[in-house]
Amino acid sequence: MLGVGLFDFKRQYVSYAEYHVNPVNKAIHTIFVPTLLWTGFVMTAVKNPQVMWVVAGGYAVYYTILHPVIGGSAALITLGGAYGAIEFVKHGLEWTGVQPFNFALGLHVSSWLIQFVGHAIEGRAPAFLDNVFQPIVLAPFFVWAHGLFDLGLYKNLSKELDAETAKKVVAFRAKKE
């Protein structure tokens, strides 16, 4: 049985995973969730870099609390993405010929739209319609954890989470019919 709470790794993972079982939708999210996080960092850093660092630090702490190793490694990548956002704010105009905020905004909106296509393929509305916290905070963590599972790490945990996710998906589909 899964635990309860905002800081329960298994519960949070399964709650997000049940919306992302189709391989095409998963692939779309694997590309565009990190893009959304990074573009959000860029847009925030343009306006206030200190706020961006506070947000990135919050993600890092939360991920580490959820799972010290998986979350800790996700935290490092998140902080690296924040650093990259700062560098893009400094040099993005010369790199792309577009103001960094405008570049990030265009990429951000495109990434959201592509994920809606993924959910149309999935046949299930995005998770944020039920819980806005999930796509904003948990999606990057989910993508990272799922990637680690795909590499064969944490096999027992992955099997347990897949079994719990499958139960949730079956229940959802039964309600839908």
Side-chain angles (χ1 to χ4, degrees), residues 126-146:
F128 76 81
L129 295 178
D130 293 330
N131 179 348
V132 74
F133 179 76
Q134 285 184 334
I136 304 295
V137 177
L138 286 172
F141 181 81
F142 169 79
V143 167
W144 177 249
H146 186 73

Side-chain angles (χ1 to χ4, degrees), residues 17 28 41-42 59 71 80 82 87 103 124 139 141 167 173:
I28 287 170
F41 284 165
V42 169
Y59 274 78
E87 289 301 307
F103 182 90
R124 186 160 187 183
F141 181 81
K167 289 178 195 174
R173 290 181 179 158

Side-chain angles (χ1 to χ4, degrees), residues 137-158:
V137 177
L138 286 172
F141 181 81
F142 169 79
V143 167
W144 177 249
H146 186 73
L148 294 177
F149 297 157
D150 283 349
L151 290 173
L153 301 171
Y154 298 97
K155 288 180 185 177
N156 292 337
L157 177 60
S158 178

